[in-house]
Amino acid sequence: NAGVTQTPKFQVLKTGQSMTLQCAQDMNHEYMSWYRQDPGMGLRLIHYSVGAGITDQGEVPNGYNVSRSTTEDFPLRLLSAAPSQTSVYFCASSYPPGEQFFGPGTRLTVL
Amino acid sequence: GENVEQHPSTLSVQEGDSAVIKCTYSDSASNYFPWYKQELGKRPQLIIDIRSNVGEKKDQRIAVTLNKTAKHFSLHITETQPEDSAVYFCAAKAGGYALNFGKGTSLLVTP
């Protein structure tokens, strides 16, 4: 099993550009989530999904969109990147709700 | 929503000493309390967790205690080693699927 995978590992964007961070898991987990990690702020929940076709907002959802068309994939879309979105992004999955397995992260810089 | 506070933010101990990290939570419905370890540049990984029907759990040098009345839980690391140096995050889950994380404790173990 590959576990939770994320692409890309690094990305630099200009303000106003859009992009999609990819996340996939091969553990047949129902629950998937996206976090951002900023220095001194811990892990903050952006969006999560409890199954295909079901998504909900977390603590910091503004500026991000998600969709869940399959159990395996949970992409995160930045609609119009802003410097405040410079962060490390982690995707995670779990089944049943409990231990979350994290992906390796994507380090995003917005200039 | 759930609010998790974690102390201290930094902790320095000598090799062989014990380290204690404390967290408090606000939602009395919280029933799952994991601890994650994150090494520099890596993803968070679960090291131990406890559910609300248990007061203490131990795994070799690591133990977690939970006081539901006071709404706090603690991580105890005994006989610390340099490889224990990392950032540690506590989290709490109150129903649903979302984990709320503390802001992290940077632990440094000096030889």
Side-chain angles (χ1 to χ4, degrees):
Chain A
N1 286 349
V4 181
T5 58
Q6 290 182 238
T7 56
K9 289 186 178 181
F10 302 94
Q11 183 71 48
V12 178
L13 293 178
K14 294 182 180 178
T15 296
Q17 287 184 315
S18 62
M19 80 159 293
T20 299
L21 307 185
Q22 301 292 345
C23 174
Q25 53 92 9
D26 61 0
M27 297 176 281
N28 201 31
H29 285 170
E30 292 183 346
Y31 175 53
M32 296 185 73
S33 55
W34 277 102
Y35 294 88
R36 60 177 289 171
Q37 184 174 33
D38 304 292
M41 297 297 291
L43 292 150
R44 293 184 292 169
L45 184 66
I46 305 171
H47 284 284
Y48 65 97
S49 168
V50 299
I54 306 170
T55 64
D56 205 347
Q57 297 181 350
E59 179 186 356
V60 288
N62 292 343
Y64 308 94
N65 272 1
V66 292
S67 61
R68 184 101 178 265
S69 56
T70 67
T71 300
E72 294 78 20
D73 301 297
F74 191 43
L76 177 72
R77 282 182 287 278
L78 280 70
L79 308 174
S80 177
S84 60
Q85 293 179 305
T86 293
S87 188
V88 179
Y89 291 85
F90 286 101
C91 178
S93 74
S94 68
Y95 179 83
E99 178 180 358
Q100 291 200 15
F101 293 86
F102 285 84
T106 294
R107 186 174 295 273
L108 176 68
T109 301
V110 182
L111 303 175
Chain B
E2 174 71 276
N3 182 42
V4 178
E5 297 201 357
Q6 183 172 347
H7 299 280
S9 57
T10 61
L11 179 60
S12 182
V13 299
Q14 286 202 316
E15 183 177 0
D17 289 348
S18 295
V20 180
I21 303 170
K22 299 182 179 181
C23 288
T24 61
Y25 60 97
S26 60
D27 191 339
S28 56
S30 292
N31 55 19
Y32 175 67
F33 307 91
W35 286 88
Y36 285 82
K37 176 183 180 182
Q38 186 179 29
E39 297 177 346
L40 190 62
K42 303 240 177 122
R43 72 189 79 185
Q45 292 194 301
L46 181 75
I47 55 171
I48 195 167
D49 57 9
I50 192 168
R51 298 194 182 269
S52 58
N53 58 345
V54 176
E56 184 174 359
K57 184 176 178 180
K58 190 173 181 180
D59 183 4
Q60 299 183 344
R61 297 185 298 109
I62 295 173
V64 58
T65 58
L66 171 64
N67 183 326
K68 287 191 296 182
T69 302
K71 289 192 282 190
H72 67 70
F73 55 113
S74 301
L75 178 71
H76 305 254
I77 305 174
T78 59
E79 300 172 22
T80 54
Q81 301 167 2
E83 52 265 38
D84 294 328
S85 296
V87 178
Y88 292 80
F89 293 98
C90 64
K93 182 173 76 69
Y97 291 82
L99 277 177
N100 294 281
F101 285 85
K103 293 186 173 155
T105 296
S106 180
L107 173 65
L108 177 65
V109 180
T110 55

